[in-house]
Amino acid sequence: MSTKADVTRKCLQPAYLVGLFITGILSLDCNVLNIHLSRVTWQNMRLLSGMSNSFPIECLRENKAFELPHEILSHIQPVKRDIKKAFYEISIQAFNIFSQYTFKSTWEEKHLKQIQIGLDKQLQYLEQCLEEEEKEDEDMKETEEDGTKHSGTMVPRLSHLELRRYFNRIYNFLKEKKYSHCAWEIVRVEIRRCFYLFLKSIVLLRRK
Amino acid sequence: MLAFLGAMALVLVAGAPWVLPAAAGGTNLESPRDVEVYIVDDSFILKWNRGSESLSNVTFSVDYQMYLNVYDELKLRIRAEKGNNTSPWYEVDSFIPFHKAQIGPPEVHLEAEDKAIIINISPPGTKDGVMWAMDSSSFIYNLVIWKNSSPAEERTETVYPTDKIYKLSPETTYCLKVKARLRMQRKVGLYSPVYCINTTVENKLPPPENIQIDGNNQNYILKWDYKYENLTFQAQWLHAYLKKIPGKHADKWKQIPNCENVKTTQCVFPQSVFSRGIYFIRVQASNGNSTSLWSEEKKFDTEIQTIILPPVINLKPVNDSLRVYIGAPKESDNKSVDEDYPLIYEIIFWENTSNITNKIVEKKTDFTFRNLKPLTVYCVRARALIHYEKWNKSSGFSDTVCEKTKPGNTSKTLLIIAVICAVLLSIPVVVYVVKVVLRCVKYVFFPSSKPPSAVDEVRSFSLSTAGFFLKWKIYLISTEYICFLDFQKIIQTDLGIFFQVSVNEL
């Protein structure tokens, strides 16, 4: 039990700070929503930690390297909107993955519900922010030339592909292992790691 | 991997023959030209122009390089074959299937009510399809609906996979079509075929309307409007995220406690019923025999609905300023501790004796009112506002707190100077008084036999009368003292009469 507390503390301290940084980054037009977003993200990470008492040791040997693309953010110009889009992609994939959950006895239902609720909230806040920007964007699109537009969307597309491939590996892993208890545990830890590393990259980006 | 690829359907379409000038003999077949690839959901469609060969007995084969998933590059090549002759391979530029893919039409199921239509949309592609396997809950659906009788008036709405279209007329034929969209990739899908359905006869009992939810201390108050009276109502809730996941969730609606069979158009339930999150709420009326249809589903975000408690104010007078501390409200339960809204405060302050109030808006919780009148009572009260205009939420006003300002700096110094002057001036006065007192004391308690030197003159008189007691008062005024001399005795002697003089000093 004490190790869990240690681990949670270790994980949560930087996450808390990072959560505050998100507020700064995503503060284009979405004022209060960003406060909620950062808080909700941090809560979700906490939920992901708390879903299980501890990672079952017997699942360690089934562990797989999903190769989270660390460099994804180096592809993205540090444009706030692209970071938001990447974050949206990560959030929605995490939501989709947990929506496929079928194995009843791995986690308590209330924990699963909470993480789904939390991720959905994360998505809702992101969607609201992105919608506002989409409207601006559509006005801009009409005046932009095709050439420039095309090159503009290529860069985020590539990084989104990287993210997709990464999540695809997770999906395939789940399917291969037939959605077993160990598979779900591994995926849970992986997604939490993904959130954490993503948030950390944002912090590093800001420092540049 | 093979099985995976097997799920894809490959459709080959040969185009019209393209006539070349007669090739110089040879058995070399012409490879296909102008190959184009279209992808709709999990179906790959290849279109090309065959060479100038005759149509008989020519087959085409397509080769694809193994790939792991739809996000990796795919290489296709195609060639013509006739018997043992084959054309050279035509290699299609490699592409990423996911990027090229077009979203196909979704499947729609409809159910009609009197003034609404319930829709149930299945995502594009097949259930085991690979192309949109990771996007099943990411699709956004655009729906276009119109009355069959007036197709020009159409309405467009964005809907969830399970949703309802409201504000329709009963007993009317409505037609609609739906297309799916992926927001991030900016992919817009193809429209589904048009579905038409008739709305039913108007239900006797209309559904409740205008659902409102307000927070109040530890409870939520759910209110709605209803035309008729003497009916009972019940309210249900659903997790909002379920609407994004395709499938039927009709059985996932749950009863709200304290809101079953209520006779009024409102019900109160504790805040603990809903943990933090976003929900949908619906209400239904019933008169025993029949029930109305469900009301419109009202979205309810506990974060937005939470009541903000009024803040607590502390005042501290400092010189000619008043320092204001705005503190967090006393929490009524643990929930509000975590709520860290960006709050701003509206502060109203006024002099106790006047009616004029000043209002300022402040972000900080510790600030000072400066340049106030000294020794005056000022009063302050404040309320908290959410720093986001769209929400327009505020707490009630805090209690009024009043404090008197301290005396000012300038009057204080004057006072000190005045005190010092008074002290200085009073010293000689005090010394004078002390001296006089001491002299009197000395005279009374320690009289000296000598007549005081202050007596300058004593007039001597000789009188022939005997035994008369004369009293003379001779005033001898010295430089300092006023002395009264009383002649009290006449002493007869041979030498004459001497007056014994007693001197009384004042």
Side-chain angles (χ1 to χ4, degrees):
Chain A
M1 284 302 275
S2 61
T3 44
K4 178 200 171 197
D6 286 339
V7 167
T8 12
R9 235 182 302 127
K10 259 190 255 171
C11 285
L12 295 181
Q13 267 166 1
Y16 193 53
L17 292 170
V18 158
L20 292 173
F21 277 111
I22 272 214
T23 317
I25 287 212
L26 304 176
S27 58
L28 273 183
D29 303 323
C30 311
N31 308 315
V32 158
L33 295 171
N34 292 320
I35 310 279
H36 283 281
L37 181 60
S38 64
R39 193 159 45 82
V40 161
T41 313
W42 181 57
Q43 274 172 8
N44 288 339
M45 282 184 58
R46 200 167 53 176
L47 278 171
L48 282 168
S49 301
M51 272 164 103
S52 284
N53 284 330
S54 59
F55 187 77
I57 303 177
E58 65 267 16
C59 297
L60 274 174
R61 73 184 109 95
E62 295 192 44
N63 207 0
K64 181 178 159 151
F66 294 106
E67 291 153 46
L68 170 63
H70 289 244
E71 324 78 30
I72 122 191
L73 284 169
S74 60
H75 291 312
I76 306 178
Q77 292 141 35
V79 176
K80 288 180 184 178
R81 212 165 84 230
D82 288 339
I83 298 178
K84 252 194 249 194
K85 283 187 172 172
F87 193 41
Y88 182 77
E89 185 70 37
I90 292 178
S91 309
I92 208 167
Q93 289 307 329
F95 179 76
N96 286 344
I97 288 177
F98 282 105
S99 303
Q100 294 190 356
Y101 176 70
T102 47
F103 201 92
K104 288 291 179 203
S105 59
T106 304
W107 298 314
E108 285 184 43
E109 197 173 336
K110 72 166 182 188
H111 285 142
L112 179 71
K113 272 222 174 88
Q114 278 172 345
I115 190 68
Q116 282 185 293
I117 292 172
L119 285 170
D120 179 48
K121 253 197 296 183
Q122 206 169 304
L123 285 169
Q124 296 237 6
Y125 291 139
L126 274 166
E127 269 168 28
Q128 284 183 47
C129 281
L130 287 167
E131 251 170 34
E132 289 177 25
E133 287 155 25
E134 246 179 40
K135 284 188 201 146
E136 292 170 21
D137 211 44
E138 270 173 23
D139 299 332
M140 276 171 60
K141 241 201 233 174
E142 288 161 6
T143 54
E144 247 178 25
E145 287 176 316
D146 272 3
T148 48
K149 180 185 91 179
H150 188 66
S151 64
T153 50
M154 275 314 278
V155 172
R157 264 184 168 187
L158 287 173
S159 59
H160 281 300
L161 264 183
E162 282 298 324
L163 275 174
R164 287 221 155 215
R165 287 181 193 135
Y166 165 70
F167 280 104
N168 199 44
R169 290 193 278 274
I170 297 182
Y171 270 97
N172 284 340
F173 173 76
L174 274 172
K175 261 191 248 174
E176 262 176 66
K177 302 284 180 183
K178 298 194 179 29
Y179 301 93
S180 70
H181 165 74
C182 276
W184 273 114
E185 280 291 322
I186 292 169
V187 164
R188 170 184 74 86
V189 169
E190 183 61 34
I191 291 186
R192 186 184 67 191
R193 194 170 142 260
C194 170
F195 275 171
Y196 174 66
L197 288 169
F198 181 77
L199 298 178
K200 199 168 90 163
S201 311
I202 293 181
V203 173
L204 290 174
L205 255 185
R206 264 180 71 92
R207 289 216 189 122
K208 275 192 201 162
Chain B
M1 267 186 263
L2 215 51
F4 160 84
L5 287 170
M8 301 269 193
L10 223 47
V11 175
L12 309 180
V13 177
W18 180 79
V19 182
L20 263 180
T27 49
N28 261 346
L29 291 175
E30 286 235 14
S31 42
R33 295 164 181 267
D34 304 326
V35 183
E36 282 168 19
V37 184
Y38 301 98
I39 310 178
V40 177
D41 292 340
D42 294 302
S43 306
F44 281 57
I45 302 172
L46 265 76
K47 271 191 182 170
W48 66 92
N49 278 327
R50 56 203 299 164
S52 57
E53 302 307 317
S54 58
L55 293 165
S56 56
N57 288 339
V58 179
T59 56
F60 296 90
S61 55
V62 175
D63 203 359
Y64 43 81
Q65 202 168 35
M66 291 293 228
Y67 67 101
L68 290 173
N69 55 54
V70 292
Y71 309 108
D72 287 336
E73 284 195 356
L74 173 67
K75 284 204 177 89
L76 281 180
R77 53 185 193 173
I78 180 172
R79 70 175 179 192
E81 289 168 2
K82 188 174 182 178
N84 279 334
N85 291 329
T86 59
S87 74
W89 286 107
Y90 178 95
E91 291 199 1
V92 181
D93 291 334
S94 69
F95 59 91
I96 297 176
F98 183 74
H99 278 161
K100 242 194 196 299
Q102 165 118 62
I103 305 177
E107 205 181 298
V108 184
H109 290 276
L110 300 177
E111 202 184 305
E113 291 183 351
D114 59 349
K115 292 186 182 157
I117 294 176
I118 303 174
I119 54 172
N120 213 312
I121 307 174
S122 311
T126 55
K127 194 160 174 264
D128 300 319
V130 257
M131 192 60 73
W132 316 121
M134 281 168 50
D135 295 293
S136 51
S137 310
S138 318
F139 285 114
I140 304 171
Y141 299 97
N142 285 355
L143 175 138
V144 181
I145 186 169
W146 62 91
K147 275 192 207 170
N148 203 11
S149 49
S150 51
E153 295 166 15
E154 44 179 49
R155 212 168 88 191
T156 313
E157 277 185 31
T158 308
V159 293
Y160 289 114
T162 32
D163 215 337
K164 263 171 139 180
I165 321 287
Y166 296 104
K167 300 185 174 60
L168 304 175
S169 323
E171 294 182 276
T172 325
T173 310
Y174 282 96
C175 294
L176 53 88
K177 58 181 183 181
V178 183
K179 68 178 177 191
R181 205 160 57 91
L182 276 179
R183 165 184 270 122
M184 278 297 108
Q185 291 72 22
R186 303 208 181 184
K187 277 189 194 292
V188 180
L190 301 167
Y191 268 114
S192 69
V194 175
Y195 297 88
C196 290
I197 191 167
N198 291 335
T199 46
T200 62
V201 175
E202 184 164 354
N203 205 334
K204 267 179 286 180
L205 292 176
E209 286 178 342
N210 200 15
I211 299 181
Q212 305 274 350
I213 306 165
D214 288 309
N216 180 11
N217 284 340
Q218 306 210 18
N219 295 327
Y220 286 120
I221 304 177
L222 179 65
K223 289 187 213 168
W224 57 90
D225 296 335
Y226 204 68
K227 265 196 279 191
Y228 306 122
E229 304 199 343
N230 287 338
L231 285 139
T232 56
F233 302 93
Q234 62 160 328
Q236 291 184 342
W237 64 271
L238 179 80
H239 284 297
Y241 73 87
L242 283 171
K243 280 198 167 255
K244 277 194 183 158
I245 303 172
K248 288 212 176 203
H249 305 294
D251 53 338
K252 303 228 173 73
W253 286 91
K254 296 207 181 78
Q255 205 65 42
I256 301 180
N258 297 351
C259 294
E260 270 176 278
N261 294 328
V262 289
K263 297 237 165 73
T264 51
T265 56
Q266 71 167 47
C267 64
V268 179
F269 54 92
Q271 285 194 2
S272 52
V273 168
F274 289 119
S275 52
R276 255 202 283 251
I278 307 178
Y279 303 87
F280 280 103
I281 294 191
R282 63 182 190 181
V283 186
Q284 181 185 55
S286 142
N287 70 354
N289 285 339
S290 52
T291 56
S292 74
L293 294 164
W294 287 103
S295 66
E296 274 192 42
E297 288 155 11
K298 170 91 178 172
K299 199 173 197 181
F300 170 48
D301 186 342
T302 54
E303 307 274 319
I304 299 175
Q305 235 78 19
T306 306
I307 270 286
I308 319 168
L309 295 170
V312 171
I313 303 183
N314 271 316
L315 291 183
K316 191 167 143 189
V318 176
N319 296 334
D320 64 346
S321 322
L322 208 59
R323 193 152 174 200
V324 184
Y325 297 96
I326 299 185
K330 285 178 281 153
E331 277 91 28
S332 50
D333 56 49
N334 282 336
K335 207 161 78 149
S336 41
V337 174
D338 282 346
E339 241 81 75
D340 51 344
Y341 298 106
L343 291 172
I344 55 175
Y345 300 97
E346 188 184 277
I347 300 119
I348 302 186
F349 80 104
W350 64 96
E351 276 179 62
N352 199 13
T353 47
S354 91
N355 275 338
I356 309 164
T357 57
N358 296 315
K359 185 157 68 168
I360 62 164
V361 173
E362 198 43 80
K363 246 191 203 171
K364 296 179 276 182
T365 53
D366 178 2
F367 58 94
T368 312
F369 287 121
R370 295 185 189 281
N371 296 325
L372 301 176
K373 292 191 221 158
L375 292 172
T376 326
V377 178
Y378 286 92
C379 295
V380 174
R381 65 180 191 146
R383 64 177 180 167
L385 303 166
I386 287 198
H387 184 42
Y388 190 53
E389 306 83 43
K390 277 192 195 167
W391 282 7
N392 205 16
K393 267 219 150 272
S394 67
S395 73
F397 271 106
S398 67
D399 296 330
T400 304
V401 179
C402 296
E403 248 333 305
K404 191 177 197 168
T405 47
K406 291 209 171 137
N409 270 340
T410 43
S411 54
K412 235 195 205 164
T413 45
L414 277 176
L415 200 70
I416 293 170
I417 292 170
V419 164
I420 292 172
C421 282
V423 164
L424 287 172
L425 284 174
S426 63
I427 289 176
V429 171
V430 165
V431 165
Y432 178 84
V433 166
V434 163
K435 246 189 177 172
V436 167
V437 166
L438 277 178
R439 233 179 231 228
C440 286
V441 165
K442 210 165 93 176
Y443 181 77
V444 169
F445 291 106
F446 312 103
S448 58
S449 46
K450 263 190 349 195
S453 54
V455 176
D456 286 338
E457 281 180 15
V458 176
R459 293 180 194 255
S460 58
F461 296 88
S462 55
L463 290 175
S464 58
T465 56
F468 277 88
F469 186 76
L470 287 169
K471 233 187 194 181
W472 296 79
K473 276 195 183 170
I474 295 177
Y475 295 86
L476 281 178
I477 300 167
S478 70
T479 51
E480 282 182 25
Y481 304 109
I482 301 172
C483 300
F484 291 90
L485 298 169
D486 275 333
F487 291 95
Q488 285 188 329
K489 267 189 202 167
I490 298 170
I491 299 164
Q492 278 181 316
T493 63
D494 288 325
L495 300 172
I497 297 167
F498 288 92
F499 291 89
Q500 185 178 13
V501 176
S502 73
V503 178
N504 292 330
E505 288 185 14
L506 273 171

